[in-house]
Amino acid sequence: MSNSASSDCLFCRIVAGDIPANRVYEDEFCIGFPDINPQAPTHLLIIPKQHIASTAKSDAKDAALLGSLMSAAAEIARSENLSKGYRIVVNTGDDGGQTVNHLHLHLLGGRHMTWPPG
Ligand code: 5GP
Ligand code: ZN
């Protein structure tokens, strides 16, 4: 998928408000909302408002935006009281297990995470 916003893109539709999501976080660049199929007691998605398909489709001009996503995840983790730790995951492409082609960070917490991931 290209990097232009699309009405076919699920997460672009959430950004636009066409599909409801409980925005636990929002700033100029991104939103955070609960994953519909949580894999941990806390499982939030942080996505850019701008459509970027994946990290594989990002480049140096996106550096500030990528940084703002990570920074937002850290701020959300504090507001969610994940003081014992958490995991940030970015699945990319088929081998990475990416199922929604709009870049997103998973913020997972509230239980002990194992390594290596599946
Ligand atoms: P991926 O597999 O691409 O890394 O992650 C996509 C995530 O989006 C999955 O964890 C899935 O549960 C979540 N998801 C899929 N559709 C929806 C939806 O309509 N609303 C929300 N909140 N999450 C969704
Ligand atoms: Zn999109």
Side-chain angles (χ1 to χ4, degrees):
M1 185 180 284
S2 76
N3 280 338
S4 29
S6 161
S7 57
D8 296 337
C9 172
L10 177 67
F11 287 175
C12 281
R13 295 183 68 198
I14 287 177
V15 170
D18 296 342
I19 295 174
N22 176 22
R23 299 183 187 213
V24 299
Y25 179 90
E26 179 164 13
D27 67 22
E28 187 182 348
F29 304 107
C30 60
I31 61 172
F33 55 91
D35 194 292
I36 204 168
N37 183 21
Q39 302 301 313
T42 300
H43 186 175
L44 300 165
L45 300 172
I46 299 101
I47 71 172
K49 290 182 171 176
Q50 171 193 334
H51 182 90
I52 298 176
S54 74
T55 56
K57 298 287 185 186
S58 70
D59 60 27
K61 74 175 176 353
D62 302 313
L65 179 61
L66 297 178
S68 75
L69 292 171
M70 189 69 87
S71 175
E75 189 172 326
I76 296 167
R78 282 187 287 274
S79 67
E80 296 283 327
N81 297 312
L82 299 178
S83 57
K84 290 177 72 180
Y86 52 86
R87 184 169 289 174
I88 295 169
V89 173
V90 186
N91 296 327
T92 301
D94 283 345
D95 275 5
Q98 184 176 9
T99 59
V100 176
N101 291 320
H102 180 128
L103 194 153
H104 49 282
L105 274 58
H106 296 260
L107 173 63
L108 298 143
R111 66 169 170 83
H112 185 76
M113 303 292 160
T114 59
W115 192 264

